[in-house]
Amino acid sequence: MLDCFAVHPELGATQVARELGVAKSTACRMLSALAAGGLLERAGGGRYRLSLRMFELGVLAAERIPVRDAARPVLIELQQQLREMVQLGVPVAGHVAYIDRYGHAGLGLQLSGEVLHRVPGYSSSSGRALAAFDERILADTLAVPRRKHTPFTITDPDRLHRVLRAARAAGWVSTREEFTRGFSSIAAPVLVTGHPVAAISVAGPTSRILGLRRDFIVASVCRAAQRVSTLIGDCLCNAAPNAS
């Protein structure tokens, strides 16, 4: 039921019943229960919307993702080294949710330091880094309706597949002004047993990211992603005897 509100800002029992294929009385009971639990709030006219409690829980979920703790010191070091915005993104239904960010406050709304900011995977370097190494993430990414955020956004599926094949071969990927004009990014996946659990990216003005420093940034991002992969792998190995 909560998934219905990912598409619609407000819903009533009749619409929810239609979406889920259940009786309206059942939808009424479920909506009332979620509202009583604080996950929904009444919007008037028999309609409901997501409550801020959902955001609070989302923040807690992001804070408790193991990769976030492992990556934090690496991200801070990377930001201090490059002096650009650095981000840790995880896959969410064909999008990328940034669960940690460090950088300059003056980069604008699209590149602000806010966490839990979500962008479509097809137009972000982090999304492509994740999709290039996982078929399920790839399918979710391609299932998202694609539109041109800028004239440079790649929306053609064949071209996206070529970009992702190149990303898998190289171990990193970039975007050039595909989500915000004037800003580009470079990302590499954090792999655990060959599967991506997150991506580390660096974003900033195109001239600084894809200019003379590009190769240095690529090497730094790939090295940071590998360090986090190793840290997580070590944590899993250390936890294995305790789990048994």
Side-chain angles (χ1 to χ4, degrees):
M1 177 171 283
L2 291 174
D3 280 341
C4 296
F5 291 89
V7 179
H8 307 284
E10 293 184 1
L11 288 171
T14 300
Q15 294 162 294
V16 169
R18 188 184 306 117
E19 292 263 349
L20 299 181
V22 299
K24 182 178 178 180
S25 58
T26 301
C28 283
R29 288 195 299 271
M30 295 170 70
L31 287 167
S32 295
L34 289 170
L39 301 182
L40 296 177
E41 62 182 26
R42 299 180 189 275
R47 300 171 70 82
Y48 295 79
R49 59 180 171 236
L50 294 175
S51 75
L52 285 177
R53 178 61 177 159
M54 290 292 295
F55 176 75
E56 294 170 356
L57 293 173
V59 171
L60 286 175
E63 290 176 349
R64 294 170 183 175
I65 295 176
V67 68
R68 189 171 186 258
D69 288 336
R72 180 174 289 118
V74 178
L75 290 176
I76 293 173
E77 182 179 325
L78 182 64
Q79 197 282 324
Q80 292 173 342
Q81 178 187 26
L82 299 179
R83 298 298 177 182
E84 303 290 354
M85 174 75 76
V86 300
Q87 309 171 116
L88 181 69
V90 295
V92 180
H95 292 69
V96 174
Y98 294 110
I99 59 174
D100 222 353
R101 279 180 155 184
Y102 299 94
H104 301 289
L107 288 178
L109 177 62
Q110 300 286 7
L111 291 175
S112 69
E114 64 177 304
V115 296
L116 291 188
H117 182 62
R118 197 173 80 156
V119 301
Y122 69 88
S123 60
S124 75
S125 59
S126 291
R128 292 178 184 176
L130 293 163
F133 288 84
D134 188 286
E135 290 295 327
R136 181 186 59 79
I137 297 175
L138 171 60
D140 289 344
T141 300
L142 294 178
V144 172
R146 294 182 296 278
R147 66 179 181 89
K148 284 188 172 292
H149 303 286
T150 76
F152 308 108
T153 307
I154 298 175
T155 57
D156 177 69
D158 292 334
R159 190 177 173 193
L160 279 172
H161 275 292
R162 290 196 296 271
V163 169
L164 295 178
R165 282 196 298 270
R168 186 176 180 90
W172 64 276
V173 67
S174 66
T175 57
R176 180 184 288 271
E177 303 187 13
E178 293 192 45
F179 192 69
T180 304
R181 289 293 295 268
F183 293 92
S184 298
S185 63
I186 290 171
V190 175
L191 301 174
V192 177
T193 63
H195 297 285
V197 297
I200 292 177
S201 62
V202 173
T206 300
S207 60
R208 297 207 303 254
I209 301 301
L210 300 181
L212 296 176
R213 301 177 72 211
R214 192 202 71 163
D215 291 346
F216 174 64
I217 292 174
V218 167
S220 300
V221 171
C222 289
R223 187 163 51 246
Q226 181 57 54
R227 285 179 59 193
V228 177
S229 298
T230 300
L231 288 170
I232 296 174
D234 290 345
C235 289
L236 292 175
C237 289
N238 293 334
N242 295 329
S244 61

